[in-house]
Amino acid sequence: MNEALTLVLALGSGVLLGGIFFGGLWWTVKLLVSSARPALWLIGSMLLRTIVVLGGFYIFARRGWESVLVCLLGFIIARYLVTRLTRADTPAYSGQEASHAP
């Protein structure tokens, strides 16, 4: 396969893996608030997300360190994108501390 095509595929896959990992984390945290068994959700989600991401990185590790590095770059880009997209879902921070805190 062409080297440039491999790197573009690695970048796109890194963004996809990061979207799965950080999007899944965001979804899990939102679910924990109303769950009867939050520890089970947290551990299960972490295991599933980690297995998927490590499997994806393993595929690109077989193609060379350059592919892994570009995949990691895509993963970091996805972290930034998910953080920006989910920030609109959380209430704005007012900068004031809680009045009930000592």
Side-chain angles (χ1 to χ4, degrees), residues 14-32 41-42 45-46 48-50 52-53 74-87 89:
V15 171
L16 179 66
L17 288 172
I20 290 169
F21 187 86
F22 295 110
L25 175 62
W26 172 77
W27 179 74
T28 301
V29 169
K30 288 190 66 85
L31 187 68
L32 290 179
W41 277 105
L42 190 64
S45 170
M46 184 64 182
L48 181 64
R49 290 181 291 118
T50 302
V52 169
V53 169
F75 190 81
I76 293 169
I77 290 170
R79 178 184 179 265
Y80 174 77
L81 291 174
V82 170
T83 302
R84 296 294 264 173
L85 291 173
T86 57
R87 186 175 293 164
D89 190 41

Side-chain angles (χ1 to χ4, degrees), residues 5 8 15 22 32 34-35 45 47 52 54-55 63 79 83 88 93 96 102:
L5 183 60
V8 169
V15 171
F22 295 110
L32 290 179
S34 62
S35 175
S45 170
L47 283 174
V52 169
L54 285 178
R63 299 186 186 274
R79 178 184 179 265
T83 302
Y93 176 67
Q96 299 175 350

Side-chain angles (χ1 to χ4, degrees), residues 9-19 57 60 70-72 74-76 78:
L9 182 63
L11 182 67
S13 297
V15 171
L16 179 66
L17 288 172
F57 275 109
F60 285 100
V70 172
C71 190
L72 180 62
F75 190 81
I76 293 169

